[in-house]
Structure formats: C-alpha cells, structure tokens
Amino acid sequence: MQRRLLVADDALIIRRIIKDMATSAGWEVVGEASNGQEAIERYRELHPDAVTLDLVMPEHDGLHALHGIMDFDPQAKVLVVSALEQRGVLKDAIKAGAADFVAKPFDKKSLQSTLDHLLPDAVS
Amino acid sequence: MKVEYINPFLTSTISVFDTMLHCKLERGDPYLKHGTQPQHHVSGVIGLSGKAQGTVVLGLSREAALSATEAMLQERPPEINGDVTDAVGELVNIIAGGAKAKLEHLNMSISLPTVITGKFHCIEFPSKVTPICIPFRSPWGDITVEVGLCERTAANPSTATPGN
C-alpha cells in the first residue's frame, strides 16, 4: 500500500520539488496546501500518513497548522521543512509534536531519507 | 554598510547553491556597486526590514537561471518563464532567510521576493546605501549577490527603504 503524503508550503516550486522527490520514492502525494489553515482542512479531509509542513507561510502559519493537525490527530506524522530563521519557532514546533525537522536549504536525498524514517514499517 | 553584514549572505548563497542545486560556487572579491547598470538577465529581489533595512539582489545570467531551475525541477525550461521566476524567487528567499538567521540581533523581516527579467533591467538602491556586490563563478556562468543594508537609527528611521 502506498504511503500518502500531504505537502504544505506557500512556495509552489518547493511543493513541486517535494512532490517529485516523494513520488519517485514511492509516496502518493494526495494533497497540497499553501497556508496553515488550508493544511488543517486538507489533513482532516484526506487523512494522509504524513505531512511536510513549512513554518513560514502567509495568513495562518505552520505552527497554527501543526496545532490544528495534532489536535485532530495526536498520532499525526508531521515533518517540518522550513528555514531556520527563527530558532524559537522550531522549538515550539517540536514541543507541539512535530516528528522531525529538515532545514531549508535541503538536499533532496536527506529530505527523502527523513521522510522515509517517519514511516519505517510501511511498504512502498 | 557594515562589512560584517556581508558574510552571512556570502555563506548562505554558497550553502543554498551547494545543498539544493549541487552547484559549487567560487567567490570573487566583493566590491562597492555604483550606479544602476544591470549585470544579469534575471534578478531576484527581496527586502529586509528591522533594526537594519535594505535590499538583497540575486543576479543570474540567462544560462545560470535556466540551469538553476533545471537543477531544482529536473526539467530544463525552454526559456525564461514562470518556472524560472519561481525558482529564482525561492532561491533569494532562502538565501535571505539563511542570512537573517545569522543576523538575529537585527530582528529583520523578509518581504515577498520579486523577480525581474530582461537584458536591460536596472535595480536601484536607495541613495544613502552603497550596496556591496559579491561576484561568484559557477559552472553555469556568473552570479552576483548585491546587499544594501543600513542600520536604522532613531535620528534616521527611514534609511534604506527597500526599493527596486
């Protein structure tokens, strides 16, 4: 069974890079979101196995999304993919339940490896 | 502009090109930029504001912009198109974000990036700022990063308003 991924980032090109990487690694990208509120809504609707989440997004940011997703599903696997602009925000994300973190700029192989570690027992 | 503001942009640019694009940059000697003569075909422009304010410009030749986009998307754009402007905008955004993290004491915010294309475009910095230009050599052609930052003071709170 394919692992199902939701990709949340306000930059279209970053969503494309993550989608291409995940698809070639055997994930099914079931949805995308470009702000925090949309990420929550898409998570509730799609029930993905994992989420990649940018913290710096307009309107409702990634922390808003992380809290909303973890409230809905405390077992959610959320991989934060974000710039290290604000270290405090990263600490808040880990406290809020983020499973792991990949800093931008990222290497696609590192991102894939970190993403695969979120669901090590899944069959791709 | 304080020289210590330059290093974070220099190291961030090298890191972004190496990590995301697998492109090794070789830096040249920084110099002061005078006038508004264009140097490159594609410019990614981003404003910074906080205890220091100003503008950062990532300039790429046509070939470098196309190759950078190809490295990001695994697909070469046939021309300078929306994919290229998205790619260059995101590159300057991540470069500025990385530098900002190293200049935490300036408490700066980053604007949305703007990308300007065309052979004869000019980027004008505020008159009170003389930007420092860092040239890089890459396998794809020349790349520059121009940084014009000015600390805000109580006497002069509006110096270095980002402009392009």
Side-chain angles (χ1 to χ4, degrees), chain B residues 40-44 65 80-81 84-85 88 114-123:
Chain B
H40 292 303
H41 202 97
V42 182
S43 295
I80 302 293
N81 58 17
V84 177
T85 56
V88 173
T114 302
V115 177
I116 302 162
T117 65
K119 209 171 178 181
F120 298 111
H121 73 264
C122 295
I123 309 288

Side-chain angles (χ1 to χ4, degrees), chain B residues 1-136:
Chain B
M1 186 172 73
K2 290 185 178 176
V3 175
E4 68 212 48
Y5 293 167
I6 291 300
N7 259 345
F9 290 94
L10 194 158
T11 55
S12 181
T13 304
I14 290 172
S15 166
V16 168
F17 272 75
D18 187 15
T19 309
M20 289 197 80
L21 311 179
H22 302 289
C23 175
K24 301 282 183 197
L25 296 184
E26 186 186 327
R27 58 160 283 199
D29 293 329
Y31 58 90
L32 294 176
K33 187 187 176 190
H34 296 284
T36 57
Q37 282 304 302
Q39 291 182 306
H40 292 303
H41 202 97
V42 182
S43 295
V45 184
I46 204 159
L48 296 158
S49 60
K51 289 181 184 170
Q53 286 194 339
T55 305
V56 177
V57 181
L58 170 67
L60 302 103
S61 65
R62 188 175 185 280
E63 176 56 30
L66 291 170
S67 296
T69 307
E70 182 181 8
M72 288 174 89
L73 297 177
Q74 312 303 320
E75 188 180 334
R76 187 171 178 85
E79 58 191 3
I80 302 293
N81 58 17
D83 285 347
V84 177
T85 56
D86 279 357
V88 173
E90 190 56 22
L91 286 173
V92 73
N93 189 38
I94 298 175
I95 289 168
K100 177 191 151 182
K102 291 172 184 151
L103 295 167
E104 216 165 10
H105 62 287
L106 296 177
N107 199 24
M108 293 189 290
S109 301
I110 300 176
S111 74
L112 286 173
T114 302
V115 177
I116 302 162
T117 65
K119 209 171 178 181
F120 298 111
H121 73 264
C122 295
I123 309 288
E124 196 164 346
F125 283 76
S127 57
K128 288 177 182 170
V129 177
T130 303
I132 294 179
C133 183
I134 314 164
F136 297 94

Side-chain angles (χ1 to χ4, degrees), chain A residues 43-54:
Chain A
Y43 190 94
R44 286 169 173 263
E45 174 193 344
L46 299 166
H47 299 273
D49 296 313
V51 186
T52 66
L53 181 66
D54 185 16

